[in-house]
Structures are given as C-alpha cells and as structure tokens.
Amino acid sequence: MATGGVTTGSARALSGEKGGDMRIGLVGLGRMGANMRERLRRADIEVTGYDRNPEVSDVASLTELVQSLPAGERIIWVMVPAGAVTHAVIEELSGLLSAGDLVIDGGNSYYGDDRTHADSLAAKDVHYLDVGVSGGVWGLENGYGLMVGGDAADVERAMPVFDALRPEGPRDEGFVHAGKVGAGHYAKMVHNGIEYGLMQAYAEGYELLEAKDIVEDVAGTVKAWQRGTVVRSWLLELLVKALEEDQDFHEIEGWVADSGEGRWTVDEAIDAAVPLPVITAALFARFQSRQDTSPAMKAVAALRQQFGGHAVKSAGGEVAGGTPAGVRSEG
C-alpha cells in the first residue's frame, strides 16, 4: 500500500458505491483511527493520515497533511482525544486551511465545544461537522454507527466518507444527520449514557445468577439468552465472549473507569429536569467500583475491554491493556 494512497484493486464492498476520486485527511491513527483509515481505503477513498507516532503516520506533520490535499476542497477528519488535544488540533488546522475546506470532529468531544470550534473555523470560511462515532475496535469489519451534526450541504459533501464507514445495509439504520452543529456529539453522549445503563443491567443480572447455587452453569445461561429472548444484543454477545475467555472473571478486578459521556449525560438531565435513574445509578456504580470489589463491576470492566479495548485492572492490581495515546474510544 502506497503511503497516503489506497489499496490496489480494493472494492467498495461495504457501502454499495465507489469512493471515486474522494480524498480525505485523517488526524489521529490510534486503534480506532487506524481502523477507520483502513476501512476508507477498502472503499477506494484515498486517505492521508497523520499521527504523532511516526511509525503509523503517512506524513511527518499536520502541515504536510494539509498541503497534500487541494485547497478549498479538503476534508480533514479529526480523531483524537476530546478536550485539550482536540482544541489544539483544530486551532492548528484553522491556521493552515483555506476557505471552503471542511473539518470533521469524530472524537468524543463535548457537544458544547462544537459551536466554539465551528465559529472559530467559520471566521476563515472553513466548514465544520461533528460526528458521534460508535463501533469501538470492531468497526473495521462491522462498520461504525454515525451521528452527524452540521449543515446539510456539508453532510452531503462528506457522504461518500460516511457511506464507507457506516455498516452495510440501509443508510438510516447506521447513519443519521441528527441536526445542527453539536447534535452529533449530543446524540453520541446520550447513546453512551444508555450504554452505561445496559451494561450495568447485564452485569447485575450476571451477579444475581452467580449468587444462587442452584444455577450451575451461569455462563451457559447467559449464552442461551443470545437467541430468541427479548434481552439479546451485541453487548450480551460480548459478555458471553468475555466469560468464555475468563470464566468467573478471575483475571480482573471490578474496577471501572468512565470516559466522561455518562457524567455529561447526567448533567444534561439535571439541566433539562429529565429523570435518568438508570443511567445515573450506572454512573455511580462505576464510582463505587473503585472502592469495592464486585462481581457485577468485573462484568462491566470485561465488557468495556471487549468492545472498546479499555484498560482493566488485573487481580494483582496492575492496570493492563487499553487503547494507546491518541485513540478515540467509547464507553
């Protein structure tokens, strides 16, 4: 594969259309960003990626990335950690891009920051979209759920990129133009709040099964729920996978971090006077997990490692695994 190019002879098998002459720059090549680069290249979209790690980067600097694309037509997808890192990248891009270029923030940014980013770029007539991305480390093969905020014309312009990244099937089952700037990240924030509650419910059910000695095959019981039941889901499949890899979760502690979206979701609920007892309790359960060992929280820790590659704490107390610097991941 040539640096910054596409896989020779690759076909757009996943989205139904060819990428054609579409070109894009991608900033941030951690586990998720690198997988997105590969998925785009499989769709015949030319991708030039930049990362601070020279071993994975296609170019030596952000300046070189920008200069490799035609002025006024550039699409730059930013896939770096939310907060200060994202702010710094967008600020640097604002000094390098030209009128008509488009910046897409696909990280887990706080939705309130999107208007600030959009306004700062608009001062130079650079366009902006925010995209909530779900799919974790499995997105390369399965596709990514995409929630987009911004102007409809900008969304349409970037649609070949979105079509390449989303799952196979009807567009509206893996992609949504959710609304104005900030809507994509707001939708992803709520999505992740729901994710907190779902994981906590599965984990508590697992613990209750473990607590009753008449249930002799807990892992088998959970696995049996995968077909025909009303609680079947991809998260349940990942819980089964985690149990098959480490039955009874002997290798990890029930220590669970949170990546921010759950807190933001609860804050928004307070501001809007919307009751979120399940999501709030799931967030507080994560806080509790850092104080006491719990079978349920072991299950949550295992689930986060399964779908997002998040770090877990071993039985010996060491934190292991997790995504490397520069990776955007959910949960």
Side-chain angles (χ1 to χ4, degrees):
M1 182 182 296
T3 299
V6 300
T7 305
T8 303
S10 63
R12 181 130 194 229
L14 295 173
S15 59
E17 298 180 6
K18 292 287 184 179
D21 296 327
M22 174 65 71
R23 301 174 63 187
I24 185 173
L26 180 60
V27 182
L29 299 171
R31 186 175 302 174
M32 198 164 180
N35 281 347
M36 293 174 74
R37 175 176 63 176
E38 175 60 23
R39 188 173 174 89
L40 289 167
R41 285 175 170 171
R42 292 180 184 180
D44 288 338
I45 292 178
E46 185 174 346
V47 185
T48 303
Y50 168 69
D51 193 273
R52 290 181 297 178
N53 178 2
E55 295 182 3
V56 300
S57 189
D58 297 323
V59 291
S61 67
L62 196 55
T63 299
E64 186 178 343
L65 170 64
V66 170
Q67 292 176 346
S68 72
L69 300 170
E73 302 176 16
R74 304 179 183 102
I75 298 177
I76 309 290
W77 188 299
V78 178
M79 205 68 187
V80 299
V85 178
T86 296
H87 297 326
V89 169
I90 291 180
E91 182 177 0
E92 186 174 356
L93 284 172
S94 70
L96 297 171
L97 296 175
S98 305
D101 292 339
L102 171 63
V103 173
I104 301 174
D105 178 10
N108 265 352
S109 294
Y110 178 60
Y111 82 95
D113 292 338
D114 289 316
R115 176 45 58 190
T116 300
H117 293 156
D119 289 345
S120 68
L121 292 168
K124 298 194 174 184
D125 199 22
V126 175
H127 301 235
Y128 179 84
L129 293 174
D130 61 282
V131 183
V133 181
S134 181
V137 297
W138 299 87
L140 173 59
E141 300 301 331
N142 296 341
Y144 301 91
L146 304 174
M147 296 144 270
V148 184
D151 185 77
D154 292 328
V155 174
E156 184 62 28
R157 174 182 173 185
M159 192 56 70
V161 175
F162 298 142
D163 278 339
L165 291 173
R166 67 176 177 82
E168 184 179 5
R171 181 182 287 172
D172 61 0
E173 292 182 3
F175 169 88
V176 64
H177 178 197
K180 61 185 70 175
V181 166
H185 283 144
Y186 191 91
K188 180 56 165 46
M189 176 194 72
V190 175
H191 165 283
N192 280 24
I194 294 169
E195 179 187 294
Y196 276 45
L198 289 172
M199 286 195 290
Q200 188 65 31
Y202 283 133
E204 291 176 5
Y206 160 77
E207 181 171 3
L208 189 57
L209 289 171
E210 282 280 359
K212 198 68 171 178
D213 58 8
I214 62 172
V215 180
E216 298 177 346
D217 187 357
V218 172
T221 300
V222 175
K223 187 173 184 177
W225 293 346
Q226 290 182 273
R227 297 288 183 271
T229 76
V230 296
V231 299
R232 63 189 184 274
S233 74
W234 183 51
L235 278 176
L236 182 64
E237 292 176 13
L238 293 178
L239 179 57
V240 170
K241 184 175 183 294
L243 284 167
E244 289 174 344
E245 294 175 357
D246 179 16
Q247 190 162 354
D248 300 325
F249 300 128
H250 288 308
E251 300 301 319
I252 60 175
E253 291 292 337
W255 171 90
V256 185
D258 66 287
S259 53
E261 294 89 337
R263 301 184 190 212
W264 299 341
T265 305
V266 172
D267 286 343
E268 287 297 316
I270 293 170
D271 290 343
V274 173
L276 298 185
V278 172
I279 293 173
T280 303
L283 175 64
F284 288 169
R286 294 196 179 192
F287 298 160
Q288 184 179 17
S289 79
R290 299 164 207 172
Q291 300 172 345
D292 302 308
T293 297
S294 161
M297 298 318 297
K298 285 189 176 187
V300 173
L303 275 169
R304 294 181 80 246
Q305 185 184 47
Q306 286 292 325
F307 74 77
H310 294 279
V312 295
K313 184 177 288 187
S314 70
E318 296 180 355
V319 177
T323 53
V327 176
R328 205 263 359 143
S329 58
E330 61 191 89

